[in-house]
């Protein structure tokens, strides 16, 4: 996300919070419940260059969020229960559902004990290739390449490009530039080839990143045995589904699930689209997820749930607990739905 957008979100959140507008807006936008997205839960690391910082929250903040939610009287529910409430239109009580993407080991280490202590249901969306140790966490590989070098080169659109990335500012700019260039590639193969090329040139071992960060099947089996945990599917290779053929998308959706079933003995009924924004999952992916027989499929399109989401179970919105905004006052605004209403209005203006 660009710095400008971040600033607008932050300014928007501050304005909403301090004006109390979210309380005023609440009856109109708060919906019936919300699905939250988290990735990493771990202590902050030193170093100024952390372009993926938004994907992690500290254990202390996480534990505060859980205690606040428990005190709030809002129901904390599983994805199966979200599905039931939407299908039966049972909205007597507001609800929150916690989901974690990608199956990072730090979630087991730092979040799981808190979730158990407070008996909070949660879902873990696992790309089967990560515990199979064939995962390419390319956004982290790119971070590593830039962190470890003062100058990098790669072929972009047929041209040899070179970037100085000595200072933290430069590293941030180069990351943003290459990250979004990669996201604009037409096919997943082009994206992966460019990152593999960078890793080969600069000696970054993608298999090691996967090994260091992602849970093994044995670790996942511990979670899978716990009735609090729902294991969800997240494709095999964490592909941006819109960038692959329909045949390949179908295979990713079916295989990711079968491999989990074979390894853990539980068949995932719920799916999260990797990356999950409109450039990653659209009408074709919603149809394929439906045909694959999933009960729900979540995006990362920001929003709270409404009764009408019964009619779009394959495209449910979520709200990301963004590591850049680890303050309870932001969470209150996000949960009220006011911030996503503002964000959607901003996006409409931008698109117009
Ligand atoms: Zn993911």
């Amino acid at each position: 996300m660009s710095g400008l957008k971040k600033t607008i979100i932050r300014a928007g959140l501050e304005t909403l919070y301090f004006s109390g507008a979210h309380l005023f807006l609440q009856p109109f936008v708060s919906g019936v419940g919300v699905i939250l997205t988290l990735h990493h839960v771990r202590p902050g690391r030193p170093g100024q260059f952390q372009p993926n910082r938004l994907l992690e929250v500290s254990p202390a903040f996480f534990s505060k969020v859980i205690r606040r939610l428990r005190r709030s009287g809002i129901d904390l529910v599983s994805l199966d229960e979200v599905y039931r409430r939407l299908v039966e239109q049972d909205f007597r009580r507001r609800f929150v559902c916690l989901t974690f993407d990608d199956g990072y080991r730090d979630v087991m280490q730092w979040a799981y004990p808190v979730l158990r202590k407070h008996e909070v249901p949660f879902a873990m969306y696992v790309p089967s290739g990560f515990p199979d140790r064939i995962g390419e966490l390319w956004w982290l590989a790119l971070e590593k390449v830039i962190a470890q070098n003062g100058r990098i080169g790669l072929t972009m659109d047929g041209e040899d490009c070179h970037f100085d990335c000595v200072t933290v500012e430069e590293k941030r700019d180069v990351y943003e530039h290459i990250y979004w260039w990669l996201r604009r590639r037409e096919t997943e193969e082009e994206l992966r080839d460019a990152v593999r090329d960078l890793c080969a040139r600069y000696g970054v071992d993608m298999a090691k990143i996967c090994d260091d960060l992602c849970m093994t099947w044995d670790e996942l089996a511990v979670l899978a045995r716990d009735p609090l945990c729902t294991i969800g599917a997240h494709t095999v290779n964490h592909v941006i589904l819109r960038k692959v053929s329909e045949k390949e998308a179908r295979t990713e959706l079916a295989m990711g699930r079968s491999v989990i079933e074979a390894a853990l003995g539980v068949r995932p009924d719920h799916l999260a689209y990797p990356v999950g924004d409109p450039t990653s999952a659209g009408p074709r992916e919603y149809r394929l997820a439906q045909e694959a027989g999933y009960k729900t499929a979540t995006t990362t399109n920001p929003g709270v749930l409404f009764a009408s989401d019964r009619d779009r179970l394959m495209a449910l919105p979520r709200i990301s607990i963004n590591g850049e905004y680890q303050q309870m006052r932001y969470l209150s605004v996000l949960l009220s739905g006011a911030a996503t209403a503002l964000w959607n209005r901003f996006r409409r203006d931008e698109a117009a």
Side-chain angles (χ1 to χ4, degrees):
M1 188 179 295
S2 73
L4 176 66
K5 277 190 189 171
K6 265 190 212 162
T7 310
I8 288 168
I9 294 179
R10 200 192 297 268
L13 285 170
E14 293 283 11
T15 310
L16 280 168
Y17 181 77
F18 290 114
S19 67
H22 68 291
L23 296 175
F24 169 72
L25 287 168
Q26 196 147 4
F28 305 103
V29 296
S30 64
V32 296
V34 63
I35 305 174
L36 297 176
T37 310
L38 291 114
H39 288 82
H40 297 277
V41 179
R42 62 184 176 193
R45 293 159 302 150
Q48 295 263 291
F49 174 60
Q50 295 190 35
N52 290 295
R53 176 92 178 82
L54 73 170
L55 299 177
E56 64 182 78
V57 297
S58 72
F61 180 71
F62 180 75
S63 158
K64 226 156 86 180
V65 168
I66 296 301
R67 289 199 309 269
R68 170 73 69 91
L69 287 172
R70 266 291 176 233
R71 274 205 312 271
S72 71
I74 295 175
D75 289 351
L76 295 172
V77 303
S78 66
L79 281 172
D80 273 340
E81 180 64 10
V82 170
Y83 173 79
R84 187 196 70 76
R85 290 186 187 202
L86 284 172
V87 169
E88 295 178 10
Q89 298 279 285
D90 175 0
F91 305 125
R92 285 168 292 179
R93 295 172 57 82
R94 292 192 73 208
F95 58 89
V96 169
C97 172
L98 260 77
T99 64
F100 296 85
D101 288 17
D102 302 346
Y104 295 115
R105 182 175 291 124
D106 52 63
V107 172
M108 176 127 189
Q109 188 182 351
W110 297 99
Y112 184 46
V114 179
L115 294 164
R116 274 211 352 207
K117 182 174 160 205
H118 296 274
E119 292 180 51
V120 178
F122 64 100
M124 180 73 69
Y125 291 116
V126 181
S128 64
F130 289 11
D132 268 339
R133 293 304 186 253
I134 53 165
E136 294 180 320
L137 289 77
W138 61 263
W139 56 100
L140 299 178
L142 176 64
E143 175 178 339
K144 218 167 195 155
V145 166
I146 296 171
Q148 293 174 353
N149 293 280
R151 185 173 166 81
I152 61 167
L154 81 157
T155 310
M156 296 170 96
D157 306 309
E159 264 178 62
D160 272 337
C161 299
H162 293 272
F163 301 95
D164 287 319
C165 42
V166 177
T167 67
V168 171
E169 259 324 286
E170 284 171 343
K171 285 185 192 293
R172 282 184 191 148
D173 287 350
V174 172
Y175 185 89
E176 286 284 305
H177 184 77
I178 299 178
Y179 176 87
W180 288 108
W181 176 79
L182 288 167
R183 287 285 305 274
R184 286 196 304 274
R185 294 311 84 209
E186 201 142 316
T187 66
E188 182 77 8
E189 206 48 38
E190 281 177 73
L191 186 166
R192 299 287 174 123
D193 281 346
V195 177
R196 284 175 200 142
D197 179 37
L198 273 175
C199 287
R201 280 196 206 192
Y202 298 100
V204 165
D205 183 353
M206 271 205 277
K208 186 172 184 312
I209 297 178
C210 183
D211 215 16
D212 287 346
L213 291 177
C214 301
M215 279 188 270
T216 62
W217 285 119
D218 284 346
E219 288 166 318
L220 285 165
V222 174
L223 295 184
R225 277 195 298 272
D226 189 330
L228 286 175
C229 179
T230 301
I231 301 286
H234 201 38
T235 75
V236 177
N237 295 301
H238 203 273
V239 291
I240 296 176
L241 289 164
R242 282 191 68 173
K243 294 189 192 295
V244 301
S245 70
E246 176 155 340
K247 183 163 172 269
E248 197 177 336
R250 239 182 242 285
T251 307
E252 285 281 343
L253 291 175
M255 278 282 284
R257 185 187 210 182
S258 309
V259 173
I260 289 174
E261 188 180 11
L264 300 176
V266 290
R267 183 164 172 79
D269 283 328
H270 305 274
L271 167 78
Y273 304 103
V275 184
D277 69 339
T279 71
S280 320
R284 183 191 74 168
E285 287 67 36
Y286 306 156
R287 173 173 56 79
L288 294 177
Q290 178 96 57
E291 287 169 13
Y294 287 106
K295 279 188 186 168
T296 70
T298 51
T299 65
T300 52
N301 301 328
V304 296
L305 297 174
F306 291 94
S308 57
D309 281 315
R310 175 173 60 180
D311 303 325
R312 51 167 192 166
L313 290 170
M314 294 303 117
L316 295 177
R318 291 190 288 174
I319 284 181
S320 181
I321 304 288
N322 186 319
E324 304 268 19
Y325 314 112
Q326 295 186 55
Q327 299 197 39
M328 287 311 296
R329 63 172 189 271
Y330 290 144
L331 188 77
S332 312
V333 179
L334 285 170
L335 290 178
S336 79
T340 48
L342 181 85
W343 177 239
N344 285 334
R345 199 165 61 221
F346 167 68
R347 280 203 312 200
R348 263 204 308 281
D349 292 347
E350 195 187 38

